Structures are given as structure tokens and as C-alpha cells.
Amino acid sequence: MKSFNNSVLQLTPLRYMMFLLDGMDKLMKIIVIVLQVNTTSIIVDAATYIEELKEKVETLNQEIDSSGTTSSDQNLPMEVDVETLDTGGFRINVHSEKDCPGLLVSILEAFEEMGLDVLDATVSCTDSFHLEAVGGEDQDKDGIDAQMVKETVLQAIKNWSES
């Protein structure tokens, strides 16, 4: 780097102006190089980050595919409990945190198809879904147990969620 000496101070104003412009030109070239390096570095870092995110998304998609659960199963957390009563009937409880329009009809149709009469029921469908029903078998049907009732209710829920 040049230091100012007496020879610079003895330049004519025009030469002194050219000397300053030359110095500014060199400074601008250095600034442009530094800015290009920073911009290139930012772009390379961003591209690397995007590639990492793509790999993470791919990994998550593979995990979802391998888990075998459908999105409707994950979005519809339901509790289904069926217990056998001393009277020979069943107490059926179905509960979901979400509102499920049309689910009650699907469950009642499933009861009818399997020959289960609803003797008493309490239903709430406001912000969540809750069904508590007491069912008894038709006189014509035999051999219905709690597991069959539960499977029928779960199948009705599955059919409803797919429709």
C-alpha cells in the first residue's frame, strides 16, 4: 500500500484527482468481490438447506407409507367401548373429540343390519361426538357378542369416514 509522501502533495489538482479516482476504483473492485463472495455463499447455503429439507420430507413420506395408516384413521381419533350387560344386552360408547356429521345415522344403520335394537340412547353431536346406547338383540337373531358389536361399529365408522 502506498503511503502519502511529499510527491503526492506536489501533484497538480488534475493529477491529484486522477490519483484519488484510481484509488477509489481499486477500492470498488475489492468491495464488489467481497459482495459477490457473500452473495454466492448465501445462495450456496440456501441451496444446501433446501436439499436437506427435501431429504427430510422424503424420509417422512417413506415413514408414513411404511406405517400403513391412512390419513383418515389419523384424523379421526375414536373411542369405541362395548360391554355386555347382565340383562343380555350391550352398552355401546362411541366418543370423538371432533364433530362427526352423519356418523350417528351410519352407526344406527349398522345396528339395524346386525339385528340390534336400540333400547335407550344418549347422543351429543355439538362440538364433539358422543353416543351412549343400550342395545338388545332381536328375538330372531342369536349369537351376537360384544366383540361383534364393536367390530360392526368400527366398520360403520370406517365406512362413514371414507364417504
Side-chain angles (χ1 to χ4, degrees):
M1 187 146 117
K2 294 183 180 181
S3 62
F4 288 108
N5 55 30
N6 290 336
S7 64
V8 173
L9 296 176
Q10 294 173 356
L11 293 175
T12 63
L14 181 58
R15 285 203 180 263
Y16 185 69
M17 180 76 79
M18 289 176 59
F19 174 77
L20 288 176
L21 287 174
D22 184 49
M24 288 181 66
D25 186 46
K26 289 177 184 176
L27 183 60
M28 288 300 292
K29 287 179 182 175
I30 292 171
I31 290 173
V32 167
I33 290 171
V34 168
L35 288 175
Q36 286 176 345
V37 169
N38 286 342
T39 303
T40 303
S41 175
I42 291 170
I43 291 171
V44 169
D45 289 346
T48 304
Y49 182 66
I50 289 170
E51 287 300 319
E52 290 173 4
L53 288 176
K54 284 181 181 179
E55 290 173 7
K56 287 181 182 179
V57 167
E58 184 66 31
T59 303
L60 290 172
N61 283 335
Q62 289 173 354
E63 287 176 10
I64 290 171
D65 290 343
S66 67
S67 70
T69 58
T70 63
S71 60
S72 63
D73 292 341
Q74 294 172 354
N75 293 337
L76 195 63
M78 289 272 183
E79 292 178 31
V80 178
D81 294 314
V82 179
E83 58 185 79
T84 305
L85 301 174
D86 293 336
T87 60
F90 305 98
R91 173 171 285 120
I92 303 113
N93 286 304
V94 181
H95 181 74
S96 172
E97 295 298 322
K98 295 183 177 183
D99 183 24
C100 303
L103 180 58
L104 178 62
V105 173
S106 296
I107 292 173
L108 292 176
E109 287 174 349
F111 287 166
E112 186 177 346
E113 287 175 13
M114 74 180 307
L116 191 65
D117 290 331
V118 177
L119 305 175
D120 186 31
T122 304
V123 181
S124 173
C125 302
T126 312
D127 292 326
S128 62
F129 180 84
H130 187 103
L131 166 67
E132 183 177 335
V134 175
E137 292 181 59
D138 276 347
Q139 299 298 335
D140 303 336
K141 304 265 181 165
D142 270 340
I144 298 176
D145 65 358
Q147 185 62 32
M148 287 175 59
V149 174
K150 184 172 184 173
E151 288 174 8
T152 301
V153 171
L154 290 171
Q155 186 62 43
I157 292 169
K158 182 179 177 189
N159 294 344
W160 169 84
S161 68
E162 292 174 353
S163 63

